[in-house]
Amino acid sequence: GLKAARWHRRAAEWIGHNDVTQAIRHWQRVLALTAALPESEDRTGLRLGACSFVLMQGGWRLGLSGEEMEALFLEGRALAERAGDNDARLVLIIGYAARLGVAGDVRRYDALSREAHALVDESTSPAVHGNTLVNRAYSSFCLGRIDEALRLTAQMPDVLAGDLNLGLDLAGVSLLAESWRGRAEHFGNRGRLDDARACQREAERLARAGDVGEALLWIRQTPALIGSMAGERDERVFEELRRGAFEALELAEQIGSWFSQVHSHLWVGGAHALHGEWDAAVRACETAVQMSKQHQTALELEPQILSQQAETRLGAGDLRAAQAAAEEGIRLARERGQLYFEALNHLARARTLRRARGADARDEIERALDRALE
């Protein structure tokens, strides 16, 4: 029992973030092999390590079942409290929160991310502290609190003390690289495009300097996002943005991360839209929707994907489908409290109404724009 479990732990740690699916299988074997063993310090350490890794790396990335994640969270939290391990307790909360978030429960994701952040103290390791900031920043973004997300990501370089490797063992992501990439995205959302590009350049420099894990493909995606925000018109830039989006998709497929594959298809669609290749953009968005539903991950982006579906359908001339997507995006974003995504869908709806009915839809268009501005 224990001896075999230790070998599976070593195999999981050796594989690390290079093949998350295989690493998780080894950790699941650790759980199976130790399930019936009597209580001991070794058993507690093995099971706590397994619960922590599977929650931190498997839930959001691979869309493992909610029931499995909740069971691991409850057991892991009890083990961490018994061991007096506050870092482990924070990791478990963060991992469980992220799983809830990517399943679409963004309010609970935000509440748990705040709970974890409030538990950070002087004993908390920089890697765990950095992960609490990443989760709080992303949950804030999901609820439309862009300034809060910016403030949190700006704290991370100091917390991480410039260490590019922090986060790789814990979450498969260089937290330092992700902090700069996240700031690029949030500055873009605030319309500060020069600041966004400067942060993106720093993220790319860090990616060239060493292993940044899954953050590499998010860094490849972000220029297409900034280009969309900037209303980019240069064909050479278009081609570079599209190449980056496809590179990100290829990396996501290699890693086996369903979460990042959904994100990548979304931004492949955005890159096609910049080119005016609407049918290809529609297909990419449809793939993102189908994949997120099938694997129950990246559903925190569902209203955003719907807004992009609306825009791409509008570009392709399918006005009825465009309006339906925007209206579903508005409904879902309101239900979840995702203000930024609601605004995007109101804009898409206004553009669709203008194309479909022109001046006859003036009052509806103005109401949509007023709500988007609000």
Side-chain angles (χ1 to χ4, degrees):
L2 278 176
K3 186 175 181 180
R6 290 189 197 106
W7 278 110
H8 279 286
R9 177 186 63 190
R10 286 173 191 161
E13 290 171 346
W14 181 75
I15 292 169
H17 65 272
N18 294 312
D19 189 336
V20 176
T21 303
Q22 285 299 324
I24 284 174
R25 284 177 184 153
H26 282 294
W27 281 117
Q28 287 170 329
R29 286 296 296 149
V30 170
L31 291 168
L33 288 163
T34 56
L37 295 179
E39 292 288 338
S40 70
E41 190 174 332
D42 270 359
R43 179 184 185 273
T44 295
L46 285 164
R47 292 190 71 80
L48 183 53
C51 290
S52 299
F53 187 94
V54 177
L55 271 170
M56 269 302 287
Q57 299 227 29
W60 63 270
R61 183 181 274 117
L62 303 178
L64 300 181
S65 78
E67 294 81 6
E68 180 182 359
M69 294 296 99
E70 185 172 10
L72 290 172
F73 173 61
L74 293 173
E75 179 184 357
R77 185 170 60 178
L79 291 169
E81 288 172 359
R82 195 179 312 152
D85 190 335
N86 193 49
D87 263 13
R89 181 167 62 152
L90 287 171
V91 165
L92 291 157
I93 296 171
I94 292 165
Y96 187 53
R99 176 67 191 102
L100 292 171
V102 301
D105 192 349
V106 291
R107 284 194 173 97
R108 199 166 169 210
Y109 173 35
D110 186 63
L112 283 170
S113 295
R114 288 170 182 276
E115 178 186 329
H117 192 218
L119 291 170
V120 170
D121 60 24
E122 291 180 356
S123 71
T124 306
S125 69
V128 173
H129 189 178
N131 266 289
T132 66
L133 290 170
V134 164
N135 268 266
R136 266 210 65 191
Y138 193 59
S139 70
S140 296
F141 163 72
C142 288
L143 291 173
R145 303 190 190 111
I146 308 300
D147 286 338
E148 184 173 82
L150 256 175
R151 178 176 57 80
L152 291 161
T153 51
Q155 295 173 24
M156 289 177 61
D158 286 340
V159 168
L160 301 167
D163 191 336
L164 190 62
N165 294 316
L166 287 180
L168 287 172
D169 289 343
L170 189 60
V173 172
S174 165
L175 297 172
L176 185 63
E178 169 53 17
S179 72
W180 285 99
R181 188 219 63 83
R183 288 172 77 187
E185 180 173 356
H186 303 319
F187 273 131
N189 284 320
R190 293 291 285 121
R192 293 170 59 177
L193 297 175
D194 288 342
D195 289 328
R197 293 187 182 103
C199 289
Q200 174 64 16
R201 285 194 295 272
E202 177 60 13
E204 290 171 354
R205 185 191 70 77
L206 290 168
R208 290 191 297 271
D211 182 10
V212 297
E214 196 160 344
L216 176 62
L217 62 94
W218 303 338
I219 290 167
R220 293 282 188 270
Q221 293 169 355
T222 304
L225 174 63
I226 297 171
S228 296
M229 293 168 174
E232 189 60 71
R233 290 289 176 269
D234 188 317
E235 281 293 332
R236 289 170 299 177
V237 175
F238 284 171
E239 203 50 53
E240 184 180 337
L241 299 182
R242 181 156 57 180
R243 186 167 58 251
F246 274 108
E247 284 176 7
L249 177 57
E250 184 177 350
L251 286 166
E253 290 170 346
Q254 288 172 3
I255 293 170
S257 171
W258 294 115
F259 173 85
S260 286
Q261 286 182 59
V262 173
H263 281 246
S264 296
H265 280 293
L266 179 63
W267 292 115
V268 165
H272 283 309
L274 284 171
H275 279 264
E277 295 172 354
W278 297 111
D279 289 342
V282 166
R283 287 194 298 273
C285 287
E286 292 292 338
T287 301
V289 169
Q290 292 164 8
M291 193 172 282
S292 66
K293 290 183 181 299
Q294 180 182 349
H295 297 285
Q296 290 295 290
T297 188
L299 289 169
E300 84 285 359
L301 291 185
E302 197 172 1
Q304 183 183 18
I305 295 172
L306 284 163
S307 73
Q308 190 154 311
Q309 273 191 305
E311 298 284 8
T312 56
R313 290 287 187 185
L314 176 60
D318 189 346
L319 304 186
R320 182 175 297 179
Q323 185 162 340
E327 288 174 354
E328 175 62 9
I330 291 165
R331 183 197 67 77
L332 197 59
R334 279 182 172 168
E335 185 180 287
R336 296 179 178 179
Q338 295 185 273
L339 297 174
Y340 170 50
F341 296 158
E342 183 186 339
L344 293 180
N345 280 285
H346 282 297
L347 289 169
R349 182 170 180 269
R351 281 192 272 265
T352 303
L353 287 168
R354 183 172 180 271
R355 177 84 67 84
R357 291 166 44 206
D360 290 343
R362 180 188 181 108
D363 290 345
E364 284 182 78
I365 291 168
E366 288 188 351
R367 282 195 298 272
L369 293 175
D370 286 344
R371 175 57 182 162
L373 184 60
E374 181 188 355

